[in-house]
Amino acid sequence: MENASPNAQINLTALKHNLAVVKQHAPHSSVMSVIKSNAYGHGLLEIAAALQDSDAFAVARLAEGLQLREAGESRPILLLEGVTNISDLQQAAAADLSLVFHTHEQLMMLMTASLAKPLTFCWVKVDTGMHRLGFSPDHALSAWKILNKSHQVTGDIGMMSHFANADILDDEKNTRQQDLFSGLIAQDADLAAAPKSMANSAAILSRPESHLDWVRPGLMLYGVSPIVGKTAAELGLKPVMTVSAELISIQSLLAGETVGYGSTWACPTDMRVGLINIGYGDGYPRQLPTGSSVLVNGEVVALVGRVSMDMICVDLRNQPDAKMGDGVVLWGEGLPADIIAQQADTIGYELVCQLTQRVPRCYGENNGEA
Ligand SMILES: *Cc1c(COP(=O)(O)O)cnc(C)c1O
């Protein structure tokens, strides 16, 4: 059977390759693969199953953790934002999900909750400068000690933090955050012996001193560049998601005729315009301007006019032989997601996350790879 069109091929061989790149960079760290937001749009359960060499997983929400447990996943699963109410706390404990504690309220809740069984392998988050989640450096150690004393948690309790600017290689804030974290750890011998974690993808690739006991790769697993100014290929990463569609019609238009809503683009000459069956209803960014890259029969052509819900138009002047049914790649193999993200004035993270469920994911090993 032919694949549906459009579709997103998910190359599990590339995924495993990218995990191996994580391990090459951080050979002495355990790996907590970040698979929040449906594994960055790639499919939560399929990606978890393929990451056999990952030591643990991290997600953002309770529902994501429960879904993994229900599918039989037995490795540690960390909820990066912890929980905000007792019912969620009880469900997390019952499902053996690990929690991040980042506020005093969460500690109080834990003290008073009646849990089916104790939590295992939890983390305290310290805010070293991101100013999103976390205890201040002054309060993180006491929070960690409270958790250590509590009978509601058994097993390791780690200390983690998160970089604000790791994607910018020479940003001095990275060093300041790292120093604050090291200073905190140095305050207590017991804490120094506990698991420690700071590095996301960008830090894994650029800051060995941040690797510590656990690294937390997300974007790089999916073969998209986490570093400003570096391509995924330069970093040795292979694209996992390739979004494909097809030419569904070809129009021969005259000079001056416009295409699409708003008539924003007019043919500069008599020419052929191709219609492709993908649009913002699939998560193809509507803000992509005329001139953005689309791969038709393996060659780059230019998007013209506005992106519709179900269709886009392309300039076929350099594709005299293109015909209905010919293959199109929107991003992935042959057209890096980073390029499309840049043209859409967004980031690779958003591009892959926003691909909608209308686009079926097709899982395979080695597609298009030698
Ligand atoms: C999302 C997330 C990560 C992964 O970040 P990438 O840049 O995708 O590698 C790591 N740690 C935390 C706390 C996160 O929220």
Side-chain angles (χ1 to χ4, degrees):
M1 205 182 83
E2 268 193 55
N3 282 332
S5 173
N7 70 68
Q9 282 290 328
I10 306 295
N11 182 344
L12 299 175
T13 306
L15 178 76
K16 291 169 196 170
H17 165 86
N18 297 333
L19 176 57
V21 174
V22 170
K23 294 185 168 217
Q24 279 162 21
H25 282 272
H28 307 299
S29 306
S30 299
V31 179
M32 182 187 295
S33 295
V34 181
I35 53 175
K36 61 198 181 189
S37 193
N38 197 29
Y40 292 45
H42 293 65
L44 179 71
L45 299 183
E46 294 86 352
I47 294 299
L51 289 173
Q52 281 307 315
D53 292 339
S54 181
D55 303 293
F57 293 109
V59 293
R61 308 266 161 86
L62 174 65
E64 297 171 320
L66 294 176
Q67 204 187 335
L68 282 164
R69 279 285 179 260
E70 278 155 23
E73 180 53 58
S74 60
R75 284 168 281 185
I77 300 168
L78 180 64
L79 305 191
L80 289 167
E81 298 172 11
V83 290
T84 58
N85 62 69
I86 293 215
S87 152
D88 284 5
L89 174 59
Q90 288 169 331
Q91 288 186 72
D96 198 18
L97 301 175
S98 302
L99 297 181
V100 168
F101 287 84
H102 55 80
T103 70
H104 203 63
E105 287 86 343
Q106 289 174 321
L107 292 178
M108 292 296 100
M109 211 164 62
L110 179 70
M111 297 312 148
T112 57
S114 137
L115 303 180
K117 52 183 174 178
L119 294 166
T120 55
F121 195 21
C122 286
W123 293 80
V124 170
K125 187 164 199 181
V126 54
D127 176 10
T128 52
M130 174 72 138
H131 301 320
R132 214 171 48 173
L133 298 181
F135 292 94
S136 72
D138 289 347
H139 292 107
L141 179 56
S142 67
W144 184 82
K145 284 182 172 166
I146 289 171
L147 276 185
N148 260 285
K149 283 208 196 87
S150 168
H151 300 301
Q152 302 270 53
V153 189
T154 60
D156 283 339
I157 297 163
M159 181 65 72
M160 67 185 282
S161 193
H162 194 50
F163 288 110
N165 300 349
D167 57 323
I168 304 162
L169 292 186
D170 48 7
D171 194 297
E172 64 181 36
K173 185 162 195 170
N174 297 325
T175 310
R176 268 187 278 137
Q177 288 193 253
Q178 182 92 49
D179 290 348
L180 257 179
F181 192 80
S182 308
L184 167 65
I185 301 300
Q187 285 171 26
D188 187 278
D190 291 334
L191 178 58
K196 294 168 284 296
S197 176
M198 282 200 87
N200 59 358
S201 295
I204 289 166
L205 291 163
S206 65
R207 303 185 63 82
E209 67 277 20
S210 73
H211 292 168
L212 307 175
D213 303 300
W214 285 83
V215 291
R216 309 192 304 267
L219 192 68
M220 71 180 287
L221 291 174
Y222 310 102
V224 180
S225 172
I227 295 179
V228 174
K230 293 240 186 197
T231 66
E234 281 169 350
L235 297 167
L237 303 172
K238 295 183 178 173
V240 175
M241 174 191 287
T242 297
V243 179
S244 302
E246 61 185 342
L247 278 173
I248 58 166
S249 178
I250 294 172
Q251 287 270 20
S252 293
L253 299 177
L254 302 175
E257 289 186 312
T258 61
V259 295
Y261 287 117
S263 306
T264 57
W265 188 82
C267 296
T269 168
D270 296 358
M271 61 182 281
R272 296 201 315 156
V273 167
L275 278 291
I276 295 165
N277 57 339
I278 195 125
Y280 63 78
D282 302 294
Y284 189 79
R286 185 179 177 279
Q287 70 270 27
L288 274 169
T290 287
S292 298
S293 305
V294 176
L295 216 56
V296 173
N297 292 323
E299 284 187 40
V300 175
V301 302
L303 181 75
V304 295
R306 281 191 192 155
V307 172
S308 304
M309 187 185 295
D310 314 305
M311 274 180 276
I312 57 173
C313 310
V314 293
D315 176 346
L316 286 182
R317 277 178 292 179
N318 67 357
Q319 288 264 331
D321 301 324
K323 58 184 188 311
M324 189 175 152
D326 281 359
V328 175
V329 168
L330 290 314
W331 67 79
E333 198 67 51
L335 185 56
D338 305 305
I339 290 182
I340 302 305
Q342 232 169 49
Q343 292 176 340
D345 201 16
T346 182
I347 51 177
Y349 294 84
E350 189 191 35
L351 189 70
V352 290
C353 279
Q354 74 181 11
L355 189 73
T356 65
Q357 286 306 319
R358 182 163 75 159
V359 182
R361 275 60 163 177
C362 309
Y363 296 88
E365 303 276 345
N366 253 338
N367 47 24
E369 296 269 324

